[in-house]
Every structure is written in C-alpha cells, then in structure tokens.
Amino acid sequence: MEKQVRKIVTIFNLRSELEDYETIHAEIEKGIQFRGTNLWILMFAIVVASVGLNMNSTAVIIGAMLISPLMGPINGMGYSLATYDFYLFRRSLKNFIYAVGVSLLTSALYFFLSPINEAHSELLARTSPTIYDVLIALFGGLAGIVAISSKLKGNVIPGVAIATALMPPICTAGYGLATLQFNFFFGALYLFTINTVFIAFAALVVCQYLKFPIGSIVDPDRKKRVNRALTAVILITLVPSVYFGYQLVQNENFSQHAEYFISQVSVVEGNYLQKSNINPSNKNVDLVYNGYGLSPKHIDSIKLVAFFNKIDTAKLSISQGFEASFVQENTRRYQSETEILNNRLNATTFALRQAENRIDSIRNIPALGEKLLSEIQPLYPQINGCSYTETFSYFMRKDSILRSNRTPLVIFTVSRNTLRTADKNKIGEWLKSRLEKPEVLTYYDEIR
C-alpha cells in the first residue's frame, strides 16, 4: 500500500521535471519587457483582436490571443511576489500598466476609425464576468506557470493564452472608450482585472509550492503587509464575480421555467401565440396572441399556468396582435372572407397539433409506468411496483373554476420501512429530471 502511494505521489511530482531556477528567472524577466519587438507584437495582436471582435470572428480572436505577449508581466508579478523580489515586481507592474495603456489606446483608435460600431456577440460576451471567469483565469494561470517552470513545456503556453483570453476584454474596453459606452468599458475592464489578478495569484501559489529561492532577506513586517494587500486585492476582485455568477444561475433558471411555461400556453382556445419575449434580468415575459381574441377568462387561465411555473404574474405581459384586435372590435367587415378563414385555420391547426400531442401522451401513459419501474428497480430493489398517471388540480377564482396543467402522479409499492427520507428525496428529484416536469406527485404504498 505504501509503495502504491509513493508511486502515485511520484506521478504527480512537479519537481522531477523542474527547470533550473536561474533559467526560469531569466525567462520570466525576459517576458516582462515591453519595448521594441514585444511592443510591436502587442500592438499588432491588439489590432487583430479588435478586427475579430468587430467582425464577430472567433478564429481571428483566437489568433490574436496566440501572438499576444501580455502574459509575461502578469507572470512576472506573481513570481516576484512569491520570491519577494520587489524590484522585479515594480518593473513587472510598470511594464504591465504601460502595456495596458498601449492596448487601450490602440483598440480605441481602431474602433474610433472603424465604420462598423455594432456590438456583436463576441463583444457582448466580455462585458458580464462571473465566478466562472475567475476559475478559468486561476486554472489557466496554474497551467501557464507550471509549463514555464517545467523542462517539458509542450504547447501549454499557447493554450493558456487562448483559455485565459486576455486580449478580447482589453479590446472590448477600448471599444467602450471609442464609442463612449462605459458599461462596455467597465465590464470588460473588470473581466481583464479578474484574469490579471488570478493568473498572477496562480503564479504566486505555484512558485511558493515549488519553493523558488528568495534572493534577499525580507523584513517579516513587510511580508505581512504584502500578504494583507494581496488578500485584499483578491477579495475585492472575487466578491463581485460571485454575485454576478449567482445572478447568472438565477437568470438561467428563470429562462428554463419561462420556456416551459410558453410551451404550455402556445394555444389558448382559438388563439395562437404569435410572439414571445423573455427578459431574464428583469424577470419579464411578454406574450402576443392572434386569433379570435382573448377574454378575461383566457387571461386568468394563462396567469394560473404562469403561477404554477414560478413566473411572477405581475411581470407577465399578455397582449393581442393586430388581427385579434380586429376580431374583438367587431371590424371583421373590413377583412376579406379569405383572411378570416386563414385566421381560423391557423388557430384550428395549432389546436389539432396540441390535441394530437395530448392523445399521444395519454396512449403512452401505461407504458411509461412500466419504464419507470424497470429503470428504478435496479437502483432500489425494495421497490416492487409502480403506478403512473397524470392528474389535474381545480381552483375556484372569481366565481369560475380554473384548471391547472397536468401533473404526473407516481405511486411506488415498497416494503415497509425500507426507504429512507433521503432516498425518497433522491427518487423525487430523479422523477422530475426523467419526466422533464417541474412538479411530480410521488407516493409510497408500504406493504408488510
């Protein structure tokens, strides 16, 4: 056992392939310089990335990342902090600020002169950083500094340049400056700051883990001040990204509920959904119907379905299209007979499709119970039987009876006291995923 552990430790040992410390120092020191060749390469890379963002070309943006020398001073800052080489840190920071300034000016000048100023998806993707961008920068930075420290560098450095994506956000910030759209500028600059801080932090962690030599005696009080400042910078950079990441997850959940809700109300008694719009950031859903016209009863039924799908009915907008307004206002005489028939045909076609889908689902209900039993029984042998059906809930509202959407009902036959509460919770979550329904009613018929 001890030999196996040692073998595993040897496989993951970084020091066996570690480059000479002087060679690593020389390589990092060379990378922080921004003059002559490095400076021109940086400006060329900035222009290439700006063109890629302007034309919405992912391939061009990747090419700019590969030729960009921006990683050099960032790794230099992390390395110098790990070895407490404050002279090298000042040089790295100075060259980094210089490189960022040149990059911003170059990209802003390009976008100022470019006749195309529309913000495409590649630009928009760099304005809303989250905690996931922190993870990308951290692990990309770890891969980069490990590759620099190793004798076997391979193709890791270009891959890290693509993964951490330093070029696109700085070019997007330049776009924000050129077009005076400061939401683009600050959002992209924050993403660039995340990449910078956590790539440098990754370099610091690896350098300290590999015990890079400290070149001079450092005052312990100064060490504490440096560590406190570093912790403050990391927290200030990290906390907003956690909040934005939480918002992203909430918006994705809302979009899923809203899409499922829209699929349930695509046809409402002679009215078909012409257009829908989901706004996750404001939690708004807009629906536009055409057909015979929506009555208050129809609108109430749509809102009830929205309620069951966790959609705030106060933020649900239901309106009628041009054709439906004509029907409601008794102006059909201005329409030709052909137009009226076409409207009816469209609504009837939608209704028939929905009816066919319901019939197919009803026919498949007996088989579905058998499938559920065959899938769950190998995982929980104590389950002996399964009954499956779909039911409706009815509610009184404003002197009328409203019906909810169909809810699956699953009854499992099990031996008494053989399923724990945790097992039942897992089975419930599995059923929701398996049946693709937000709500599933589950009961357990326990027998001796």
Side-chain angles (χ1 to χ4, degrees):
M1 182 66 181
E2 186 177 349
K3 289 183 179 179
Q4 291 178 342
V5 172
R6 287 181 180 177
K7 187 176 180 180
I8 293 172
V9 171
T10 303
I11 292 173
F12 286 94
N13 186 17
L14 291 174
R15 293 185 177 87
S16 60
E17 298 170 353
L18 188 63
E19 184 68 270
D20 180 71
Y21 288 128
E22 292 182 2
T23 304
I24 297 171
H25 181 87
E27 186 173 348
I28 289 177
E29 197 169 26
K30 182 177 66 176
I32 69 174
Q33 296 296 329
F34 270 99
R35 62 181 63 183
T37 303
N38 266 4
L39 184 60
W40 281 103
I41 290 174
L42 174 65
M43 289 191 293
F44 295 151
I46 286 291
V47 173
V48 172
S50 299
V51 172
L53 291 168
N54 207 187
M55 303 307 295
N56 209 39
S57 173
T58 305
V60 175
I61 297 169
I62 291 174
M65 296 178 201
L66 287 172
I67 61 177
S68 165
L70 266 177
M71 285 277 292
I74 299 175
N75 282 325
M77 287 188 285
Y79 169 82
S80 59
L81 286 173
T83 57
Y84 296 98
D85 188 340
F86 298 112
Y87 173 71
L88 181 62
F89 176 76
R90 285 192 293 270
R91 286 177 57 204
S92 301
L93 182 61
K94 178 181 175 182
N95 282 289
F96 175 72
I97 293 172
Y98 182 61
V100 170
V102 170
S103 301
L104 279 173
L105 289 174
T106 303
S107 58
L109 180 61
Y110 168 81
F111 284 111
F112 181 76
L113 297 175
S114 173
I116 302 175
N117 287 324
E118 183 181 354
H120 296 291
S121 59
E122 288 291 348
L123 275 168
L124 295 171
R126 270 82 190 185
T127 58
S128 303
T130 66
I131 186 65
Y132 301 104
D133 295 291
V134 171
L135 296 176
I136 293 169
L138 179 62
F139 287 97
L142 288 171
I145 192 63
V146 167
I148 291 173
S149 307
S150 172
K151 296 176 182 177
L152 309 174
K153 292 176 174 56
N155 63 346
V156 176
I157 301 299
V160 171
I162 295 172
T164 53
L166 287 163
M167 297 296 289
I170 199 70
C171 293
T172 304
Y175 168 82
L177 276 180
T179 58
L180 299 179
Q181 298 183 63
F182 293 105
N183 57 326
F184 278 82
F185 175 75
F186 289 112
L189 203 60
Y190 176 49
L191 175 56
F192 182 76
T193 303
I194 286 176
N195 290 340
T196 300
V197 169
F198 285 93
I199 291 171
F201 177 65
L204 183 150
V205 169
V206 172
C207 290
Q208 288 189 337
Y209 171 74
L210 295 176
K211 298 181 180 179
F212 282 31
I214 298 174
S216 60
I217 299 174
V218 184
D219 181 18
D221 290 336
R222 192 174 188 184
K223 276 188 179 182
K224 288 181 181 179
R225 289 197 299 271
V226 170
N227 291 334
R228 286 172 186 166
L230 182 63
T231 303
V233 169
I234 290 173
L235 288 176
I236 290 170
T237 308
L238 179 65
V239 170
S241 70
V242 174
Y243 172 72
F244 293 140
Y246 172 77
Q247 278 193 324
L248 176 65
V249 173
Q250 292 296 103
N251 290 345
E252 287 295 321
N253 289 337
F254 176 80
S255 296
Q256 290 179 2
H257 284 291
E259 287 171 4
Y260 182 71
F261 157 66
I262 289 173
S263 69
Q264 292 180 296
V265 294
S266 57
V267 177
V268 181
E269 296 187 23
N271 298 277
Y272 60 93
L273 188 62
Q274 182 186 32
K275 185 173 66 173
S276 63
N277 181 53
I278 300 172
N279 189 336
S281 58
N282 296 326
K283 303 294 186 291
N284 289 337
V285 178
D286 300 324
L287 305 178
V288 179
Y289 284 89
N290 260 331
Y292 296 135
L294 292 171
S295 66
K297 181 181 177 181
H298 296 152
I299 294 174
D300 284 343
S301 66
I302 294 171
K303 288 183 176 180
L304 182 62
V305 177
F307 174 78
F308 279 112
N309 284 279
K310 301 177 182 178
I311 306 295
D312 186 356
T313 54
K315 295 184 178 181
L316 174 63
S317 172
I318 304 172
S319 57
Q320 300 177 108
F322 181 72
E323 296 173 12
S325 298
F326 263 46
V327 172
Q328 279 200 318
E329 294 171 7
N330 259 336
T331 56
R332 291 185 185 178
R333 61 182 180 276
Y334 297 111
Q335 293 179 301
S336 66
E337 185 177 350
T338 303
E339 289 174 328
I340 296 172
L341 290 174
N342 282 337
N343 287 340
R344 291 179 178 176
L345 181 61
N346 286 334
T348 304
T349 302
F350 273 102
L352 282 173
R353 288 176 183 171
Q354 292 292 319
E356 288 174 358
N357 291 336
R358 285 195 292 269
I359 291 171
D360 289 339
S361 64
I362 291 171
R363 287 174 178 170
N364 291 330
I365 284 176
L368 188 54
E370 183 180 352
K371 287 181 181 179
L372 292 176
L373 180 60
S374 64
E375 292 173 12
I376 197 69
Q377 217 274 334
L379 301 175
Y380 295 93
Q382 57 268 51
I383 295 179
N384 303 318
C386 174
S387 299
Y388 177 86
T389 187
E390 293 181 357
T391 184
F392 295 94
S393 298
Y394 294 87
F395 303 89
M396 288 297 300
R397 189 169 182 181
K398 295 182 180 179
D399 299 327
S400 61
I401 299 177
L402 300 179
R403 188 180 73 179
S404 69
N405 52 301
R406 287 190 297 174
T407 304
L409 172 62
V410 181
I411 302 175
F412 288 118
T413 304
V414 298
S415 301
R416 179 166 294 180
N417 297 328
T418 56
L419 277 181
R420 298 173 300 174
T421 303
D423 293 329
K424 293 179 180 180
N425 291 337
K426 289 180 182 178
I427 294 171
E429 293 300 320
W430 175 78
L431 285 172
K432 291 178 184 178
S433 174
R434 172 64 177 80
L435 300 174
E436 297 181 352
K437 300 286 187 179
E439 297 292 336
V440 178
L441 301 177
T442 310
Y443 294 96
Y444 295 89
D445 182 14
E446 297 186 350
I447 59 175
R448 292 179 181 266

